[in-house]
Amino acid sequence: MKVKTVGPVGAKIFLVGEAPGEEEDKYGKPFIGTAGHKLDVLLAEAGISRHECLIGNVAKERPPGNKIDFFYEDKRRTNPKPILQSWINELKEEILMYNPNIIVALGDTAMYTLCGLRGISRYRGYITDCALVPGKKVLPTYHPQKTNYEWRLGFDAVMDLRKAVANSNTPDFPKDTRKLHSGCSFNEFMSYLDWLIREHEGPIALDVETTDPGCHIDIIGIAASPKLAASFQIINGKRPVLSPEKEILLWRKLAEVLAYKECIMQNGVFDMSVLWLHTNIFVEKFVFDTLIAGHVCWPERPRSLAYLGSICLNVPAWKHTAEEMPLLYNASDAANTYGIYEYMVKELDKQKLWNTFNFEMAQVYPAAMLQLQGVEVNTQVRDELKKTVAERLEYLDTTIEEMIGKKVNFNSPKQLQSLLYIDMRLPVQYKRRKSASEERKATADATALQTLSRKTDNPVLDLILEYKKLYKLTSSFLDMELSPRNRVHTSYNITGATMLRKKKGLIIDDEEAYKSFGRWSSSSSIILPYGSGNLQNIPKIARKIYTAPPGYLYLQADYMQAEAVVVAYEIGDEPAKLLFRTAFGLPREERLARHLDIHRLTAALMFQKQISEVTEEERNIGKRLRHATNYSAGPTVLANSINCTTKKAKELFAKYHQACPMLRLWHARIQDQLRRTRILTNLFGRNHRFLERWGDELFRSAYSFIPQSTVGDLLNKALIKLYYEYGKHLTIPLQLHDAVYFIIKETELETRIKEIRDVMLIPMHSSTGEEFIIDVDFSAGPSWGELEDL
């Protein structure tokens, strides 16, 4: 059935989708099925009534199997069949006849038909000219059905629809009144810098572009407001633009600007680190990072400049101009950073999130220091470990080949699957699916090998697992390029996300969405590209290569069972709270002697034993269960963790919940809070709005939020104070989730431990108002991998 466009003649907004679905085909009306119901929800959240809009589709009939490809001659969907072309012509006539002020392209097909553009995530949220009817405004956004599959995208669609409303009162395009000076001469740019110092009031927005090798600054842009920015090229290709004398004058003037003016940046850890490394210019008044503001206000959405611009600004899309017009692109980055700053200041006010934002901003300088400082590697120890691992790999390779009768590349998923499921005829293991409708795909990853090993008790599988583990150890953590000073460098990401990556030699913002609970993540350093990248996931054996200088020690300050303490106080687990209070401040030897261990207590309650009678195996079960149940992990995860059957794991879960019934009550309270607001708040006031589809995945994420984010914030509060108050005589090489590492003189061990402990013991309050403190354990040794408990 042909589904016609519907809506009032004087509608200001025209919503255009892809094609009718089953319900639309049945009743002859657009957007009345599943996608239509979701569209109603999105429109309501945006303050729009669908009865005020024109609603239609590019295709007027439902394609077979709901596959729009049917209406195209080619796989790339660039050449429409005659029937589709006739509908496109009809859509054009409708736009001319109804003359809406703005057209909302719902999805990629509508956007391509209207604008000739592909890649909805790239252009959504930006008003663009209509290629089908030139002069008409089009605002692309996600198709409602896509937001049904990926619930987080609903936030973007609502924000886009709100922008459509704001632009629907007139057919005119938003006026771009920005003055972007992208071809400044040396004298003009110097005069601009001088004007910023002497006459301009308010902060500036800074943005730098870099070139390889070495991440040297080739373009620098500075905005005085969202409407005024200038950029200047310092390197053209591989050649400097200025004479050494003039370049020195420019850097000196820039240093003066950055010493005097408050500075706004997007992902400023990168820009300020590059400036310090290559020019010795220190950004003294870095007051606002738009990336951090986006992370604080919308923690489950992307934080790239392009994304924030699509939400906060009414400017043309510009990120696609990086290669063709780099100077104009840089000036746009600076001006738009300023514009996003002005929007986010109001958003932080609205959501009352300034405390969290200021706390995050205080972490910028420690994060930059850790990246630039790096961690020294003992090459002699590294080479000895490489030799040992290589010998073991050779032995495993020979042994496995003899056992299976052929040579297999265990790093080839195809060859490994063939060995497991064809040659060895083992039960096929599949990747976890997001939904029951998703196609099942076989896998031979580590989890599959662990499951098969547990189920079949085949010694070959354990040897293959060991081989893959050692191979990764060598390739990722031992065979790595070191800096000229034998150091590795990592980028600590305050927002828990890697927001920069390289593409075709350009450093660009990463558009992917990341969830962050306020804990740092670690990834490859673009500025100093040495090492394995993520320092937070290095295997314990590889940590031995990071040694302290003679006369010094590595010192680890580690919050004791921190997440378990938070959960105990949140759920009202009285036996656990009593244990933590009794153990507080006691030496490790005394705690062990008195069996003051949360995992032993868990096992004792489960197996109805005296805590002194709990075996090491039972303690391990208690440890795994407490962790698994805190985050609502399933029996399969537990079975792989403790190498038992799924049936046994289910029995252990039942025992645990019988011993600790408060946990399920806490989970029920969390679900109730999510049902009401979808917002949870940790013990330091950090808010997180959960956007996923209602179900187990959402619940697991929510259960982990309060303990994980609280401990992450606790550690970073201590790190900030240690950096600013003791940084002059404390070397801080590493941060790992619930621990901070130091390199200290052996003779100063007791003094430093007292200083660090005093800083890290921070009183907290549970959601019921009960005060508690998480204790700190210390261990020290000659290397990161050889730490002994103190």
Side-chain angles (χ1 to χ4, degrees), residues 14-44:
F14 190 174
L15 306 172
V16 179
E18 180 179 90
E22 185 177 356
E23 291 294 308
E24 290 82 0
D25 180 56
K26 185 176 180 180
Y27 294 102
K29 295 181 179 179
F31 283 98
I32 59 171
T34 305
H37 293 311
K38 188 57 181 283
L39 177 61
D40 290 344
V41 171
L42 298 173
L43 290 171

Side-chain angles (χ1 to χ4, degrees), residues 2-5 14 57-58 60 83-98 132:
K2 185 174 181 179
V3 179
K4 296 181 180 179
T5 295
F14 190 174
N57 286 294
V58 173
K60 302 295 186 184
I83 183 65
L84 179 59
Q85 186 59 57
S86 70
W87 292 328
I88 292 173
N89 294 338
E90 190 173 332
L91 175 63
K92 179 178 180 179
E93 292 171 5
E94 289 173 345
I95 294 170
L96 291 169
M97 178 176 64
Y98 291 115
L132 188 63

Side-chain angles (χ1 to χ4, degrees), residues 18-22 62-69:
E18 180 179 90
E22 185 177 356
R62 181 191 182 198
N66 281 345
K67 302 292 185 183
I68 194 67
D69 307 59

Side-chain angles (χ1 to χ4, degrees), residues 295 320 393:
H295 152 68
H320 59 285
L393 280 171

Side-chain angles (χ1 to χ4, degrees), residues 539-556:
K540 194 168 183 179
I541 188 173
R543 296 179 181 183
K544 292 181 179 180
I545 69 177
Y546 300 95
T547 62
Y552 287 77
L553 293 170
Y554 259 87
L555 176 68
Q556 174 186 275

Side-chain angles (χ1 to χ4, degrees), residues 344-359:
M344 296 308 298
V345 165
K346 296 174 184 176
E347 190 68 23
L348 288 165
D349 281 335
K350 178 183 170 183
Q351 295 195 38
K352 297 179 173 60
L353 291 173
W354 277 104
N355 283 341
T356 303
F357 174 78
N358 290 332
F359 168 58

Side-chain angles (χ1 to χ4, degrees), residues 318-338:
W318 79 97
K319 281 294 182 179
H320 59 285
T321 66
E323 293 186 53
E324 296 175 5
M325 297 177 287
L327 282 162
L328 182 61
Y329 166 85
N330 176 250
S332 298
D333 269 3
N336 293 339
T337 297
Y338 209 119

